Amino acid sequence: MNAPRTPSPRKAFGRLSLPERSYVADALRTETVGGVLLLLAAVAALLWANVPGLHGSYESVSHFHFGPEALGLNLSVAHWAADGLLAVFFFVAGIELKRELVAGDLRDPKAAALPVIAALCGMAVPALVYTLTSGVGGGSLAGWAVPTATDIAFALAVLAVIGTSLPSALRAFLLTLAVVDDLFAILIIAVFFTDDLDFAALGGAALGLALFWLLLRKGVRGWYVYVPLALVVWALMYNSGIHATIAGVAMGLMLRCHRHEDEEHSPGERIEHLVRPLSAGLAVPLFALFSAGVAISGSALADVFTQPETLGVVLGLVAGKTLGIFGGTWLTARFTRASLSDDLAWADVFAVAALAGIGFTVSLLIGELAFEDDAAMTDSVKAAVLAGSLIAAAVATVLLKVRNAKYRRLTEEEERDEDHSGVPDVYEQDDPAYHLRMAEIHERKAAEHRRLAREKSAERDARAEVAGGAGEEHDGPA
């Protein structure tokens, strides 16, 4: 009688499936370009706000109001960027989350445990670090949520700048972690930063979302139907008192992200492919341009490390994020059957955890919401987010550079395609056709080597005959 087979332990950060790898590569390519634009926008904002001759124009543009007053939408440029453009960002985040839940790693509870637990710990520990730091120093606890968010675009831009060939499994972990992180950040914004509710507007937004869902289920197509409806839902959500970005993520979650048999891509994937460049290349950089422009001086930077609120933000991003994500990952591997991939070390996980300490877009947004009645503290918290993100980027760069040669070898192994099939060889090991193609390639190489061997042997024999014949002419006595 055969003994029951014990299931083999699952490898954490193991090789991705080919479809998942292709999706991650496409998503990260767009996010990386968007992240570089985000970096440029942040630098432009700092220069615009700190050059003496330009500071006044930055304030004037940021606070310039436009929009229909009758609809409650006469907002400043900065307000439009935070509430309007970021709704596009959260719409893409909603699609990403839906796809992960129905077709990605989060579909399998066992596979989802690692990034979910890591994300939760990566939000709880920074909040705890902020609370302890600010509480002990006698500061305000209102900013506890500021260091909880990870900016995936900024993190990937850092990777692009330092040229690190991070393996696809770690990149996918970072992306999934950020998606879960965004979900909980949305919940934090909805629950903790909603004051007065206008139930009439909220009811109208709910009806608009229901109509949006119904049209999708009926298969109605056409941007001219959904874009006006989305704008109406967004406006009603804004006037309801709930942060308007919630409308974006709600509509993203409604899109179908699983494929039918006759489909190459699901509707959610197609729309995400169209909207992601708009989000990463326009919406988020413009938000950064009108949110990152804080006055930077020696005294202002010193205040970041002396004020309890700002010090809590910096420590939360740099230490809290790193310890939270690394600790959550280690605990998951320690108390489940998951084990670290043989190709990676815990130092790699620690480096990625440090990289996740780059909090920018959502951290800036939460900072504005947490201290909206205190302009001076809002600017100080923004400076703290910039400082903390810069320190986290520097630490992660050093840690990743140490292992860069190892990453390069892993990436080359993942990309190798000796049979020129367009599919990396590591994904074809179970395909008989792959081995037949490789056999043909090796047979051709063997035939070529045999031909070369015959030619070289013939050349050597000819040289030997020439040398032998020359010796016979002089065999007689001198």
Side-chain angles (χ1 to χ4, degrees):
M1 184 174 179
N2 294 330
R5 186 173 62 184
T6 303
S8 59
R10 184 173 55 81
K11 292 291 184 183
F13 307 106
R15 187 173 293 119
L16 301 177
S17 65
L18 186 59
E20 185 71 8
R21 179 179 179 272
S22 301
Y23 168 79
V24 168
D26 182 59
L28 295 184
R29 193 177 300 112
T30 305
E31 291 289 358
T32 301
V33 174
V36 173
L37 294 176
L38 179 62
L39 284 171
L40 295 175
V43 171
L46 290 171
L47 291 174
W48 194 0
N50 286 277
V51 173
L54 300 176
H55 174 73
S57 63
Y58 181 81
E59 292 294 325
S60 299
V61 173
S62 296
H63 294 99
F64 177 77
H65 281 65
F66 68 96
E69 180 69 41
L71 300 178
L73 296 175
N74 185 25
L75 311 177
S76 67
V77 170
H79 208 159
W80 276 111
D83 287 77
L85 292 177
L86 278 194
V88 179
F89 167 79
F90 279 109
F91 175 71
V92 174
I95 300 175
E96 287 177 340
L97 179 62
K98 178 67 173 290
R99 186 200 166 278
E100 289 292 334
L101 289 171
V102 302
D105 287 344
L106 299 184
R107 180 182 72 254
D108 179 6
K110 293 180 180 179
L114 183 65
V116 170
I117 293 174
L120 285 173
C121 293
M123 299 185 80
V125 176
L128 180 61
V129 169
Y130 175 92
T131 302
L132 291 175
T133 304
S134 189
V136 170
S140 170
L141 301 182
W144 63 270
V146 174
T148 60
T150 293
D151 194 304
I152 183 64
F154 214 149
L156 291 172
V158 171
L159 284 179
V161 170
I162 64 176
T164 299
S165 301
L166 200 64
S168 59
L170 284 177
R171 288 178 178 265
F173 172 71
L174 187 61
L175 179 62
T176 308
L177 184 79
V179 170
V180 178
D181 191 297
D182 286 341
L183 169 65
F184 288 107
I186 291 162
L187 293 176
I188 287 173
I189 291 171
V191 173
F192 295 99
F193 297 102
T194 298
D195 297 325
D196 299 325
L197 286 176
D198 184 328
F199 288 100
L202 184 59
L207 289 175
L209 288 172
L211 179 58
F212 190 89
W213 179 85
L214 184 62
L215 291 173
L216 288 172
R217 291 302 170 271
K218 293 295 183 181
V220 176
R221 295 189 176 187
W223 65 267
Y224 46 83
V225 174
Y226 292 101
V227 171
L229 178 58
L231 292 174
V232 170
V233 171
W234 175 87
L236 289 168
M237 189 69 75
Y238 175 82
N239 283 287
S240 73
I242 296 177
H243 201 270
T245 53
I246 304 300
V249 75
M251 287 183 279
L253 286 169
M254 289 181 181
L255 293 175
R256 177 170 61 83
C257 292
H258 63 273
R259 302 175 189 175
H260 290 162
E261 291 184 1
D262 58 339
E263 291 181 329
E264 184 178 356
H265 300 288
S266 67
E269 290 172 324
R270 289 197 302 271
I271 293 173
E272 180 189 9
H273 182 74
L274 292 173
V275 179
R276 184 189 287 276
L278 177 64
S279 169
L282 181 66
V284 175
L286 281 178
F287 167 75
L289 182 64
F290 293 107
S291 294
V294 295
I296 300 295
S297 63
S299 59
L301 290 175
D303 289 343
V304 166
F305 298 96
T306 55
Q307 290 181 301
E309 295 90 348
T310 52
L311 181 60
V313 170
V314 173
L315 292 179
L317 289 172
V318 177
K321 272 288 183 183
T322 304
L323 295 177
I325 292 172
F326 180 82
T329 306
W330 184 86
L331 287 172
T332 304
R334 174 69 177 81
F335 294 105
T336 68
R337 292 189 59 80
S339 62
L340 194 65
S341 172
D342 295 334
D343 294 328
L344 300 173
W346 282 107
D348 302 310
V349 182
F350 190 84
V352 172
L355 189 66
I358 300 176
F360 192 77
T361 305
V362 181
S363 290
L364 290 175
L365 175 62
I366 294 177
E368 291 180 354
L369 296 174
F371 299 101
E372 61 181 350
D373 296 327
D374 188 343
M377 182 55 69
T378 298
D379 285 347
S380 296
V381 167
K382 287 181 179 180
V385 170
L386 294 173
S389 298
L390 184 61
I391 295 171
V395 171
T397 298
V398 172
L399 295 175
L400 291 169
K401 278 292 186 183
V402 171
R403 297 273 292 171
N404 203 33
K406 175 71 173 178
Y407 297 148
R408 196 176 297 113
R409 288 195 296 271
L410 291 176
T411 302
E412 289 172 356
E413 181 66 25
E414 289 183 353
E415 297 292 338
R416 185 176 293 114
D417 182 18
E418 292 186 354
D419 64 335
H420 306 292
S421 65
V423 177
D425 295 340
V426 293
Y427 294 100
E428 296 186 300
Q429 297 304 309
D430 295 329
D431 184 3
Y434 160 75
H435 293 286
L436 290 175
R437 288 194 298 271
M438 290 303 299
E440 291 178 3
I441 291 171
H442 287 303
E443 286 168 1
R444 286 198 298 270
K445 288 182 178 179
E448 178 66 13
H449 283 296
R450 281 192 289 269
R451 184 186 65 79
L452 290 173
R454 287 193 298 269
E455 289 180 0
K456 299 301 179 185
S457 179
E459 290 175 4
R460 186 176 60 186
D461 291 343
R463 285 196 300 269
E465 288 178 5
V466 171
E472 290 175 358
E473 291 178 5
H474 303 285
D475 281 347

